[in-house]
Amino acid sequence: MPAERRRRIAMGAEQLTAFLDGSAEMVVAYVNADGWPVGTLAGADRHGEEITVEFTDPTGTAARVGLGDAVCCVAEEGTRYDEIRGAIVRGEVTAAATADGRHRWTVRERHTSSFDFAALADPESSGPVSPREP
C-alpha cells in the first residue's frame, strides 16, 4: 500500500479520542510466562490517557502480569471491509487488582495507532477502492 493511502486510513486526533472514549469493549493482550501472546475480551473504560480493563482469566496467566508490564488494548468496529475502523493502544500496567479469577488493570497509553478503512472510499465512485488497486 503506498504511503499516502496508508496515511489516509489513520483517524484524526479528535476522531481517535472519540472512538476510544466510546469503546466499551477491547481485546487486551499480553505475553504469558512462556513467551506466548494471550488475548481476551475485556470491558473497557477510558479516562484521559489511561484505560481500565476488566476481564476473567480462567487460565491464571494474567495473574503474572504486574505493574510496569507491557500490554496492548485493541478496539475495533465494523462488519464490512469498507466499514472497519479501530485503534491499537500499547501501554503499561499502572494498577492491577485480581480477585476470584477477575482482573482489573489500569493501562497508561504509550503509543496509539488507528485505522479507518472507510477513508479509502473513492468519492467519485459508488464503492470503496480495493486495497490492491494503485
Coordinates of all heavy atoms in Angstrom, one line a residue, residues 1-76:
M1 N 0.9 -1.2 0.0 CA 0.0 0.0 0.0 C 0.9 1.2 0.0 O 1.8 1.4 0.9 CB -0.9 0.0 1.3 CG -1.8 1.2 1.4 SD -2.8 1.2 2.9 CE -3.8 -0.2 2.7
P2 N 0.7 2.1 -0.9 CA 1.5 3.4 -1.0 C 1.3 4.2 0.3 O 0.3 4.1 1.0 CB 1.0 4.1 -2.2 CG 0.3 3.1 -3.0 CD -0.2 2.1 -2.0
A3 N 2.4 4.9 0.6 CA 2.4 5.7 1.9 C 1.2 6.7 2.0 O 0.6 6.8 3.1 CB 3.7 6.5 2.0
E4 N 0.8 7.3 0.9 CA -0.3 8.3 1.0 C -1.6 7.6 1.4 O -2.3 8.0 2.2 CB -0.5 9.0 -0.3 CG -1.7 9.9 -0.4 CD -1.7 11.0 0.7 OE1 -0.6 11.4 1.2 OE2 -2.8 11.3 1.2
R5 N -1.9 6.4 0.8 CA -3.1 5.6 1.2 C -3.0 5.2 2.6 O -4.0 5.1 3.3 CB -3.3 4.5 0.2 CG -3.6 5.0 -1.2 CD -4.1 3.9 -2.1 NE -5.3 3.3 -1.5 CZ -5.7 2.1 -1.8 NH1 -5.0 1.3 -2.7 NH2 -6.8 1.6 -1.3
R6 N -1.8 4.8 3.1 CA -1.7 4.4 4.4 C -2.0 5.5 5.4 O -2.7 5.4 6.4 CB -0.3 3.8 4.7 CG -0.1 3.1 6.0 CD 1.2 2.4 6.1 NE 1.5 1.5 5.0 CZ 2.6 1.5 4.3 NH1 3.6 2.3 4.6 NH2 2.7 0.7 3.3
R7 N -1.5 6.7 5.1 CA -1.8 7.9 5.9 C -3.3 8.2 5.9 O -3.9 8.6 6.9 CB -1.1 9.1 5.4 CG 0.4 9.2 5.9 CD 1.0 10.5 5.6 NE 1.1 10.8 4.2 CZ 2.1 10.4 3.5 NH1 3.1 9.7 4.0 NH2 2.2 10.7 2.2
R8 N -4.0 8.0 4.8 CA -5.4 8.3 4.7 C -6.3 7.4 5.6 O -7.4 7.8 6.0 CB -5.9 8.1 3.3 CG -5.6 9.3 2.4 CD -6.1 9.2 1.0 NE -7.4 8.6 0.8 CZ -7.8 8.0 -0.3 NH1 -7.0 7.9 -1.3 NH2 -9.0 7.4 -0.3
I9 N -5.8 6.3 6.0 CA -6.7 5.4 6.8 C -6.5 5.7 8.3 O -7.3 5.2 9.1 CB -6.5 3.9 6.6 CG1 -5.1 3.4 7.0 CG2 -6.8 3.6 5.1 CD1 -5.0 1.9 7.0
A10 N -5.6 6.5 8.7 CA -5.4 6.9 10.1 C -6.5 7.9 10.5 O -6.8 8.8 9.8 CB -4.0 7.5 10.4
M11 N -7.1 7.7 11.7 CA -8.0 8.6 12.2 C -7.3 9.9 12.7 O -6.2 9.9 13.1 CB -8.8 8.1 13.4 CG -9.7 6.9 13.1 SD -10.5 6.4 14.7 CE -10.7 4.7 14.4
G12 N -8.0 11.0 12.6 CA -7.5 12.3 13.1 C -7.6 12.2 14.7 O -8.2 11.3 15.3
A13 N -6.9 13.1 15.3 CA -6.8 13.1 16.8 C -8.2 13.2 17.5 O -8.4 12.4 18.4 CB -5.9 14.3 17.3
E14 N -9.0 14.0 17.0 CA -10.4 14.2 17.7 C -11.2 12.9 17.4 O -11.9 12.4 18.3 CB -11.1 15.4 17.1 CG -10.5 16.7 17.7 CD -11.2 17.9 17.2 OE1 -12.4 17.8 16.6 OE2 -10.7 19.0 17.3
Q15 N -11.1 12.4 16.2 CA -11.9 11.2 15.8 C -11.4 10.0 16.7 O -12.2 9.2 17.2 CB -11.7 10.9 14.3 CG -12.5 9.7 13.8 CD -12.3 9.5 12.4 OE1 -11.3 9.9 11.8 NE2 -13.2 8.7 11.8
L16 N -10.1 9.9 16.8 CA -9.5 8.8 17.6 C -9.9 8.9 19.1 O -10.3 7.9 19.7 CB -8.0 8.8 17.5 CG -7.2 7.7 18.3 CD1 -7.7 6.3 17.9 CD2 -5.7 7.9 18.0
T17 N -9.8 10.1 19.6 CA -10.2 10.3 21.0 C -11.7 9.9 21.2 O -12.0 9.1 22.2 CB -10.0 11.7 21.5 OG1 -8.6 12.0 21.4 CG2 -10.6 12.0 22.9
A18 N -12.6 10.3 20.3 CA -14.0 10.0 20.4 C -14.2 8.5 20.3 O -15.0 7.8 21.0 CB -14.8 10.7 19.4
F19 N -13.5 7.8 19.4 CA -13.6 6.4 19.2 C -13.2 5.6 20.4 O -13.9 4.8 20.9 CB -12.7 6.0 18.0 CG -12.8 4.5 17.7 CD1 -13.9 3.9 17.1 CD2 -11.7 3.7 18.1 CE1 -13.9 2.5 16.9 CE2 -11.8 2.3 17.9 CZ -12.9 1.7 17.3
L20 N -12.0 6.0 21.0 CA -11.5 5.3 22.2 C -12.4 5.5 23.4 O -12.7 4.6 24.2 CB -10.1 5.6 22.5 CG -9.0 5.0 21.5 CD1 -7.7 5.6 21.8 CD2 -9.0 3.5 21.7
D21 N -12.9 6.8 23.5 CA -13.8 7.1 24.6 C -15.1 6.3 24.6 O -15.7 6.0 25.6 CB -14.1 8.6 24.7 CG -12.9 9.4 25.1 OD1 -11.9 8.8 25.6 OD2 -12.9 10.7 25.0
G22 N -15.5 6.0 23.4 CA -16.8 5.3 23.2 C -16.6 3.7 23.1 O -17.6 3.1 22.9
S23 N -15.4 3.2 23.3 CA -15.2 1.8 23.2 C -15.4 1.1 24.5 O -14.6 1.3 25.4 CB -13.8 1.5 22.7 OG -13.7 2.0 21.3
A24 N -16.5 0.4 24.7 CA -16.8 -0.2 26.0 C -16.2 -1.6 26.1 O -16.2 -2.2 27.2 CB -18.3 -0.4 26.1
E25 N -15.7 -2.2 25.0 CA -15.0 -3.4 25.0 C -13.8 -3.3 24.2 O -13.7 -2.7 23.1 CB -15.9 -4.6 24.4 CG -17.1 -4.9 25.2 CD -17.8 -6.1 24.6 OE1 -17.9 -6.2 23.4 OE2 -18.3 -6.9 25.4
M26 N -12.7 -4.0 24.6 CA -11.4 -4.1 23.9 C -10.9 -5.5 24.1 O -11.2 -6.1 25.1 CB -10.4 -3.1 24.4 CG -10.8 -1.6 24.2 SD -9.5 -0.5 24.8 CE -10.2 1.0 24.3
V27 N -10.0 -5.9 23.2 CA -9.2 -7.1 23.4 C -7.9 -6.6 24.1 O -7.3 -5.7 23.7 CB -8.9 -7.8 22.1 CG1 -7.9 -8.9 22.4 CG2 -10.1 -8.3 21.5
V28 N -7.7 -7.2 25.3 CA -6.4 -6.9 26.0 C -5.5 -8.0 25.8 O -5.9 -9.2 25.9 CB -6.6 -6.6 27.5 CG1 -7.2 -7.8 28.2 CG2 -5.4 -6.1 28.2
A29 N -4.2 -7.7 25.4 CA -3.3 -8.7 25.0 C -2.0 -8.5 25.8 O -1.6 -7.4 26.1 CB -3.0 -8.7 23.5
Y30 N -1.4 -9.6 26.2 CA -0.1 -9.6 26.9 C 0.6 -10.9 26.6 O 0.1 -11.8 25.9 CB -0.4 -9.5 28.4 CG -1.4 -10.5 28.9 CD1 -1.0 -11.7 29.5 CD2 -2.8 -10.3 28.8 CE1 -1.9 -12.7 29.9 CE2 -3.7 -11.3 29.3 CZ -3.2 -12.4 29.8 OH -4.1 -13.4 30.3
V31 N 1.9 -11.0 27.1 CA 2.7 -12.1 26.9 C 2.7 -13.0 28.1 O 3.0 -12.4 29.2 CB 4.1 -11.7 26.4 CG1 5.0 -12.9 26.2 CG2 4.0 -10.9 25.1
N32 N 2.4 -14.3 28.0 CA 2.5 -15.1 29.2 C 3.9 -15.5 29.6 O 4.8 -15.1 29.0 CB 1.5 -16.3 29.1 CG 2.0 -17.4 28.1 OD1 3.2 -17.4 27.7 ND2 1.2 -18.2 27.7
A33 N 4.0 -16.2 30.7 CA 5.3 -16.6 31.3 C 6.1 -17.4 30.3 O 7.4 -17.4 30.3 CB 5.1 -17.4 32.6
D34 N 5.5 -18.2 29.4 CA 6.2 -19.0 28.4 C 6.5 -18.2 27.1 O 7.1 -18.8 26.2 CB 5.3 -20.2 28.0 CG 5.0 -21.1 29.2 OD1 5.9 -21.2 30.0 OD2 4.0 -21.7 29.2
G35 N 6.2 -16.9 27.1 CA 6.5 -16.1 25.9 C 5.5 -16.1 24.8 O 5.7 -15.5 23.8
W36 N 4.3 -16.6 25.1 CA 3.2 -16.7 24.1 C 2.3 -15.5 24.3 O 1.9 -15.2 25.4 CB 2.5 -18.0 24.2 CG 3.3 -19.2 23.7 CD1 4.0 -20.0 24.5 CD2 3.5 -19.6 22.4 NE1 4.6 -21.0 23.8 CE2 4.4 -20.7 22.5 CE3 3.1 -19.1 21.2 CZ2 4.8 -21.4 21.3 CZ3 3.5 -19.8 20.0 CH2 4.3 -20.9 20.1
P37 N 1.8 -15.0 23.2 CA 0.8 -13.9 23.3 C -0.6 -14.5 23.7 O -1.0 -15.6 23.3 CB 0.7 -13.3 21.9 CG 1.1 -14.4 21.0 CD 2.1 -15.2 21.8
V38 N -1.3 -13.7 24.6 CA -2.6 -14.1 25.1 C -3.5 -12.9 24.9 O -3.1 -11.8 25.2 CB -2.5 -14.5 26.6 CG1 -3.9 -14.8 27.1 CG2 -1.6 -15.6 26.8
G39 N -4.7 -13.1 24.4 CA -5.6 -12.0 24.3 C -7.0 -12.4 24.8 O -7.4 -13.6 24.6
T40 N -7.7 -11.5 25.4 CA -9.0 -11.8 25.9 C -9.9 -10.6 25.8 O -9.4 -9.4 25.9 CB -9.0 -12.3 27.3 OG1 -10.3 -12.8 27.7 CG2 -8.6 -11.3 28.3
L41 N -11.2 -10.8 25.6 CA -12.1 -9.7 25.5 C -12.3 -9.1 26.9 O -12.5 -9.8 27.9 CB -13.5 -10.1 24.9 CG -14.5 -9.0 24.6 CD1 -14.0 -8.0 23.6 CD2 -15.8 -9.7 24.1
A42 N -12.3 -7.8 27.0 CA -12.4 -7.1 28.3 C -13.4 -5.9 28.2 O -13.4 -5.3 27.2 CB -11.0 -6.6 28.8
G43 N -14.1 -5.7 29.3 CA -14.8 -4.4 29.4 C -13.8 -3.3 29.5 O -12.7 -3.5 30.1
A44 N -14.1 -2.2 29.0 CA -13.1 -1.1 28.9 C -13.7 0.2 29.3 O -14.9 0.5 28.9 CB -12.4 -1.0 27.6
D45 N -12.9 1.1 29.9 CA -13.4 2.4 30.3 C -12.1 3.3 30.1 O -11.1 3.1 30.8 CB -13.9 2.5 31.7 CG -14.4 3.9 32.1 OD1 -15.0 4.6 31.2 OD2 -14.3 4.2 33.2
R46 N -12.2 4.3 29.3 CA -11.1 5.2 29.1 C -11.3 6.5 29.8 O -12.4 7.1 29.8 CB -10.9 5.5 27.6 CG -9.7 6.3 27.3 CD -9.5 6.4 25.8 NE -8.2 7.0 25.4 CZ -8.1 8.2 24.8 NH1 -9.2 8.9 24.6 NH2 -7.0 8.7 24.6
H47 N -10.2 6.9 30.5 CA -10.3 8.2 31.2 C -8.9 8.9 31.0 O -7.9 8.5 31.6 CB -10.6 7.9 32.7 CG -10.0 6.6 33.2 ND1 -8.8 6.5 33.8 CD2 -10.4 5.4 33.1 CE1 -8.5 5.3 34.1 NE2 -9.5 4.6 33.7
G48 N -9.0 9.9 30.2 CA -7.7 10.6 29.9 C -6.8 9.8 29.1 O -7.2 9.2 28.0
E49 N -5.6 9.6 29.5 CA -4.5 8.8 28.9 C -4.4 7.4 29.4 O -3.4 6.7 29.3 CB -3.2 9.5 29.0 CG -3.2 10.9 28.3 CD -3.3 10.8 26.8 OE1 -2.6 10.0 26.2 OE2 -4.1 11.6 26.3
E50 N -5.5 7.0 30.1 CA -5.5 5.6 30.7 C -6.7 4.9 30.4 O -7.8 5.5 30.1 CB -5.4 5.7 32.2 CG -4.0 6.3 32.7 CD -3.9 6.2 34.2 OE1 -4.9 6.5 34.9 OE2 -2.8 6.0 34.7
I51 N -6.6 3.6 30.3 CA -7.8 2.7 30.0 C -7.8 1.7 31.2 O -6.8 1.1 31.5 CB -7.6 1.9 28.7 CG1 -7.5 2.9 27.5 CG2 -8.7 0.9 28.5 CD1 -7.0 2.3 26.2
T52 N -9.0 1.5 31.7 CA -9.2 0.5 32.7 C -9.9 -0.7 32.0 O -10.9 -0.5 31.4 CB -10.0 1.0 33.9 OG1 -9.3 2.1 34.5 CG2 -10.3 -0.1 34.9
V53 N -9.3 -1.9 32.1 CA -9.9 -3.1 31.5 C -10.3 -4.1 32.6 O -9.5 -4.2 33.6 CB -9.0 -3.7 30.5 CG1 -8.8 -2.9 29.3 CG2 -7.6 -4.0 31.1
E54 N -11.4 -4.7 32.5 CA -11.8 -5.8 33.4 C -12.2 -7.0 32.7 O -12.9 -7.0 31.7 CB -13.0 -5.3 34.2 CG -12.7 -4.1 35.1 CD -13.9 -3.8 36.0 OE1 -14.5 -4.7 36.6 OE2 -14.2 -2.6 36.1
F55 N -11.6 -8.2 33.1 CA -11.9 -9.4 32.4 C -11.7 -10.6 33.3 O -11.1 -10.5 34.4 CB -10.9 -9.5 31.2 CG -9.5 -9.5 31.5 CD1 -8.7 -10.6 31.7 CD2 -8.8 -8.3 31.8 CE1 -7.4 -10.6 32.0 CE2 -7.5 -8.2 32.1 CZ -6.7 -9.4 32.2
T56 N -12.2 -11.7 32.9 CA -12.0 -13.0 33.6 C -10.9 -13.8 32.9 O -10.9 -13.8 31.6 CB -13.3 -13.8 33.6 OG1 -14.3 -13.0 34.2 CG2 -13.1 -15.1 34.3
D57 N -10.0 -14.4 33.6 CA -9.0 -15.2 33.1 C -9.0 -16.6 33.8 O -8.3 -16.8 34.8 CB -7.6 -14.5 33.3 CG -6.4 -15.4 32.9 OD1 -6.6 -16.2 32.0 OD2 -5.4 -15.4 33.5
P58 N -9.6 -17.6 33.2 CA -9.7 -18.9 33.8 C -8.4 -19.6 33.8 O -8.2 -20.6 34.5 CB -10.8 -19.6 33.0 CG -10.8 -18.9 31.7 CD -10.4 -17.5 32.0
T59 N -7.4 -19.2 32.9 CA -6.1 -19.9 32.8 C -5.2 -19.5 33.9 O -4.2 -20.2 34.2 CB -5.5 -19.6 31.5 OG1 -5.1 -18.2 31.4 CG2 -6.4 -19.9 30.3
G60 N -5.4 -18.3 34.5 CA -4.5 -17.9 35.6 C -3.2 -17.2 35.1 O -2.4 -16.7 35.8
T61 N -3.0 -17.1 33.7 CA -1.8 -16.4 33.2 C -1.8 -14.9 33.4 O -0.7 -14.3 33.6 CB -1.6 -16.7 31.7 OG1 -2.8 -16.3 31.0 CG2 -1.5 -18.2 31.4
A62 N -2.9 -14.3 33.5 CA -3.0 -12.8 33.7 C -2.5 -12.4 35.1 O -2.0 -11.3 35.3 CB -4.4 -12.3 33.5
A63 N -2.5 -13.3 36.0 CA -2.0 -13.0 37.4 C -0.5 -12.8 37.4 O 0.0 -12.1 38.3 CB -2.4 -14.2 38.3
R64 N 0.2 -13.2 36.4 CA 1.6 -13.0 36.3 C 2.0 -11.6 35.8 O 3.1 -11.2 35.8 CB 2.3 -14.1 35.5 CG 2.1 -15.4 36.1 CD 2.9 -16.5 35.3 NE 2.7 -17.8 35.8 CZ 1.9 -18.7 35.3 NH1 1.2 -18.4 34.2 NH2 1.7 -19.9 35.9
V65 N 1.0 -10.9 35.2 CA 1.2 -9.5 34.7 C 1.2 -8.6 35.9 O 0.3 -8.6 36.7 CB 0.2 -9.2 33.7 CG1 0.4 -7.7 33.2 CG2 0.2 -10.1 32.5
G66 N 2.3 -7.8 36.0 CA 2.4 -6.8 37.1 C 2.6 -5.4 36.7 O 2.6 -5.1 35.5
L67 N 2.7 -4.6 37.6 CA 2.9 -3.1 37.4 C 4.1 -2.9 36.5 O 5.2 -3.6 36.7 CB 3.1 -2.4 38.7 CG 1.9 -2.4 39.7 CD1 2.2 -1.6 40.9 CD2 0.7 -2.0 39.0
G68 N 4.0 -2.1 35.5 CA 5.1 -1.8 34.6 C 5.2 -2.7 33.4 O 5.9 -2.4 32.4
D69 N 4.4 -3.8 33.4 CA 4.4 -4.7 32.3 C 3.7 -4.1 31.1 O 2.7 -3.4 31.2 CB 3.8 -6.1 32.6 CG 4.7 -6.9 33.5 OD1 5.9 -6.5 33.7 OD2 4.2 -7.9 34.1
A70 N 4.2 -4.5 29.9 CA 3.6 -4.0 28.6 C 2.4 -4.8 28.3 O 2.4 -6.1 28.4 CB 4.6 -4.1 27.5
V71 N 1.3 -4.1 27.8 CA 0.1 -4.8 27.3 C -0.4 -4.0 26.1 O 0.1 -2.9 25.9 CB -1.0 -4.9 28.4 CG1 -0.6 -5.7 29.6 CG2 -1.4 -3.5 28.9
C72 N -1.3 -4.6 25.4 CA -1.9 -3.9 24.2 C -3.4 -4.0 24.3 O -3.9 -5.1 24.7 CB -1.4 -4.7 23.0 SG -1.9 -4.0 21.5
C73 N -4.1 -2.9 24.0 CA -5.5 -2.9 24.0 C -6.0 -2.6 22.6 O -5.5 -1.6 22.0 CB -6.1 -1.8 25.0 SG -5.6 -2.1 26.7
V74 N -6.9 -3.4 22.1 CA -7.3 -3.2 20.7 C -8.8 -3.0 20.7 O -9.6 -3.9 21.2 CB -6.9 -4.4 19.8 CG1 -7.4 -4.2 18.4 CG2 -5.4 -4.7 19.8
A75 N -9.3 -2.0 20.1 CA -10.7 -1.7 19.9 C -11.0 -1.7 18.4 O -10.2 -1.1 17.6 CB -11.1 -0.4 20.5
E76 N -12.1 -2.2 18.0 CA -12.5 -2.2 16.6 C -14.0 -2.3 16.4 O -14.7 -2.7 17.3 CB -11.8 -3.3 15.7 CG -12.0 -4.7 16.2 CD -13.3 -5.3 15.6 OE1 -13.8 -4.9 14.5 OE2 -13.8 -6.2 16.2

